[in-house]
Amino acid sequence: MKDPGARLDRIHSVGGCLARASYGAFAGLYLLACLISTPKNAVDLWTILLAAVASIGAIIVRRPLAWAAATALLSGLSTLFLAAAVHPDLGNPSVFAEIGGMLIIIGRVVWKAPRDRLVAVALVLGAAVLILPLRWTLISAVLFTAPLGICVALALGAGLYLRAVDSRRSRSLSAARRDERLELARDLHDFVAHHVTGIVVQAQAARFAAQSGSAQTPDQLDTMFAGIEQAGTEALTSMRRMVGLLRDAQYADARDGDARGGQARAADSSGHAARGDGGSSTRPVGDLAQLRQLVDGFTHPPATLTLAPDLGTLPPEVATSVHRVVQEALTNVRKHAADATAVRVTVARLGDGSVEAAVRDDGQGRGRRLPSGGFGLSGLAERVDALGGRLLAGPRPEGGWEVLAVVPVHGARRA
């Protein structure tokens, strides 16, 4: 099963390539027609060359700022030279290709340029477009300046809008990532408290046995100490994983501008994700017992849970991640698959010891579609990746939707 996000990224890239190729082909045919139909003097050839440079700058992928600056300087200097030489350029329609290319360049520069270069390059490009009518007669310059100004304003607005959309998405991803790591920080408290409590209880049992005067056999002592050792090892392992993920948070924005985020936490209608109000309050870890309660409380459409008999005891971070994956998948079924008639939730062991959690429904995506932040599965993918696993989501060949998480288990106790 393929990741829909990666597939959408590929579709977006292919669409951009097709758009650039289409514009390049149209501009090339237009300039070829201009070259064939217009007089072959130096001014005409130069203006066709300027239009070609502007068209290439509009579709170029590498070094777009360099092309933008070169196009603006060549066009502006050529306009000033032709205006000073009193050489009206009336017979060559290639200037319209030049204007179109420069307007696209303005939009792309405003959209993607670094902030420290944005204003300077945009001003130079806008000025080069606005003075283009000086190549013609004075009356033409007066008539065409205002329409060109409107076109420049539209190009600037389009670039600013796309820049704002990217900025808003980046902020949403950063906020979602932060929320997911806060969730992991709360889980860290629960994991450590769980293991340390087990260590304390077993140590107290050993002391009680020693104080009671009852003789302990070497096998009994070995069993007690083995339990304490295993609980301590599991606590250190859980803490190392979670702290490593939290430490990576400060590098996430610089390393990956399209990093995955997590959806803002909202209480599901089943009400099994209770959270304390204060900093010292804790909420119960989502274990397999709570997973059964979660699935049993999901009745529209009815959901069934199948746990493999050899699942055994899972580390807390693995059990919590499985619970979160199932909770998010069921929430998405409720939001986007109102026509589903059944949901199947399975948790099983794979041959390599990993745990596979799968949520499958038979809906076709018809019915109500509630608004979504779009970052829920991305946040879960980050959580599962931190544990060395993988999360996949997409349509099933026989119909319906499937969310599949595979989480490796290190040092888990098998039944």
Side-chain angles (χ1 to χ4, degrees):
M1 182 174 53
K2 297 181 179 179
D3 185 1
R7 184 165 61 245
L8 289 176
D9 289 340
R10 289 193 294 269
I11 293 174
H12 178 74
S13 300
V14 172
C17 293
L18 290 177
R20 286 192 294 269
S22 300
Y23 181 82
F26 174 78
L29 291 175
Y30 182 81
L31 293 178
L32 181 61
C34 293
L35 184 64
I36 295 174
S37 62
T38 56
K40 304 304 185 294
N41 55 56
V43 173
D44 291 327
L45 294 177
W46 179 250
T47 54
I48 292 176
L49 178 62
L50 289 177
V53 172
S55 300
I56 295 175
I59 62 176
I60 198 70
V61 176
R62 295 181 180 274
R63 303 178 64 86
L65 281 179
W67 277 93
T71 303
L73 291 176
L74 286 176
S75 178
L77 292 176
S78 299
T79 299
L80 294 177
F81 175 79
L82 292 176
V86 194
H87 191 300
D89 180 23
L90 295 175
N92 199 326
S94 63
V95 67
F96 296 107
E98 182 179 351
I99 292 173
M102 293 183 69
L103 290 176
I104 295 177
I105 291 175
I106 290 175
R108 291 187 63 194
V109 166
V110 175
W111 179 18
K112 294 293 188 181
R115 185 174 298 179
D116 56 341
R117 305 178 187 178
L118 174 62
V119 177
V121 179
L123 286 177
V124 173
L125 283 167
V129 174
L130 292 176
I131 65 174
L132 270 172
L134 294 177
R135 299 182 186 180
W136 309 325
T137 62
L138 181 60
I139 297 177
S140 299
V142 172
L143 292 176
F144 279 92
T145 300
L148 284 179
I150 295 175
C151 293
V152 171
L154 291 175
L156 290 172
L160 289 173
Y161 172 76
L162 294 174
R163 192 180 187 93
V165 169
D166 287 351
S167 178
R168 183 169 63 249
R169 177 171 177 79
S170 177
R171 289 195 302 269
S172 299
L173 287 171
S174 298
R177 247 193 329 264
R178 183 177 61 252
D179 291 342
E180 188 68 26
R181 286 186 170 88
L182 288 175
E183 180 88 8
L184 290 170
R186 297 183 184 96
D187 289 342
L188 175 61
H189 176 279
D190 294 335
F191 299 158
V192 175
H194 170 79
H195 292 303
V196 172
T197 300
I199 294 174
V200 172
V201 168
Q202 295 184 71
Q204 290 175 341
R207 290 189 61 193
F208 177 79
Q211 293 174 358
S212 65
S214 60
Q216 300 290 319
T217 65
D219 291 339
Q220 291 175 330
L221 291 175
D222 182 71
T223 300
M224 289 184 179
F225 291 138
I228 295 175
E229 178 185 9
Q230 183 175 7
T233 302
E234 291 177 351
L236 289 175
T237 302
S238 298
M239 190 162 52
R240 186 178 298 112
R241 290 176 183 172
M242 292 300 173
V243 172
L245 178 60
L246 293 172
R247 183 175 297 171
D248 288 341
Q250 59 183 321
Y251 306 111
D253 291 333
R255 183 180 65 246
D256 188 5
D258 191 23
R260 297 173 296 272
Q263 191 179 28
R265 303 295 166 261
D268 188 77
S269 59
S270 56
H272 301 298
R275 180 179 301 171
D277 295 334
S280 61
S281 300
T282 61
R283 53 180 173 69
V285 176
D287 55 11
L288 296 182
Q290 295 181 8
L291 178 63
R292 187 178 298 278
Q293 295 175 359
L294 175 66
V295 176
D296 291 341
F298 195 87
T299 57
H300 301 289
T304 58
L305 174 64
T306 303
L307 297 178
D310 62 340
L311 198 57
T313 302
L314 302 180
E317 66 273 15
V318 176
T320 302
S321 297
V322 170
H323 183 277
R324 284 284 298 116
V325 168
V326 174
Q327 184 181 49
E328 180 65 30
L330 292 178
T331 301
N332 287 339
V333 171
R334 181 171 288 137
K335 285 182 177 180
H336 306 300
D339 60 331
T341 60
V343 181
R344 291 185 294 111
V345 181
T346 59
V347 182
R349 286 274 189 175
L350 300 180
D352 59 356
S354 301
V355 174
E356 178 190 75
V359 180
R360 301 178 176 91
D361 65 78
D362 57 357
Q364 303 300 318
R366 295 188 295 268
R368 63 178 178 274
R369 294 186 62 85
L370 301 179
S372 173
F375 303 122
L377 291 178
S378 298
L380 293 180
E382 182 172 355
R383 173 191 283 259
V384 174
D385 286 347
L387 300 177
R390 63 185 185 275
L391 178 72
L392 302 175
R396 302 167 58 199
E398 62 272 20
W401 192 266
E402 179 179 25
V403 176
L404 179 68
V406 178
V407 184
V409 179
H410 305 286
R413 298 187 297 274
R414 297 293 294 273

